[in-house]
Amino acid sequence: LELKRMSVSREQRGRGLARALCREVLGFARARGYDAVVLSTSVVQVAAQRLYEGQGFRKVGTSYPSLLGTALNFQIFHYRCELGDGN
């Protein structure tokens, strides 16, 4: 299952909503028999990286969105959370 474009408005951040949404997605995927959840986020989304890593996601790769992205070293990080281990 791919998690795409999860966002919490600025005024609602810091209340645990993103963690709760993430847990809900993982539970949804588990209940439906998915083996893993995957997602991508950018190098500048440090808070998102911490959130996902705290939920059991592991970085599995990096890429660049374009030639300009490569020149600017703007990386996209790819994450995966295996669901079979109870995380």
Side-chain angles (χ1 to χ4, degrees), residues 57-71:
F57 284 83
R58 299 293 167 247
K59 195 183 301 180
V60 295
T62 60
S63 64
Y64 296 92
S66 64
L67 185 58
L68 179 59
T70 301

Side-chain angles (χ1 to χ4, degrees), residues 1 20 24 30 57 59 65 79-80 83:
L1 182 123
E24 188 67 25
R30 247 188 227 104
F57 284 83
K59 195 183 301 180
Y79 284 88
R80 181 178 180 92
L83 300 176

Side-chain angles (χ1 to χ4, degrees), residues 22-60:
C22 197
R23 282 193 305 269
E24 188 67 25
V25 168
L26 294 174
F28 176 93
R30 247 188 227 104
R32 285 156 182 79
Y34 287 92
D35 294 326
V37 175
V38 297
L39 60 88
S40 299
T41 193
S42 73
V43 66
V44 298
Q45 300 287 32
V46 177
Q49 294 167 43
R50 282 194 299 254
L51 167 71
Y52 299 133
E53 290 169 5
Q55 295 294 309
F57 284 83
R58 299 293 167 247
K59 195 183 301 180
V60 295

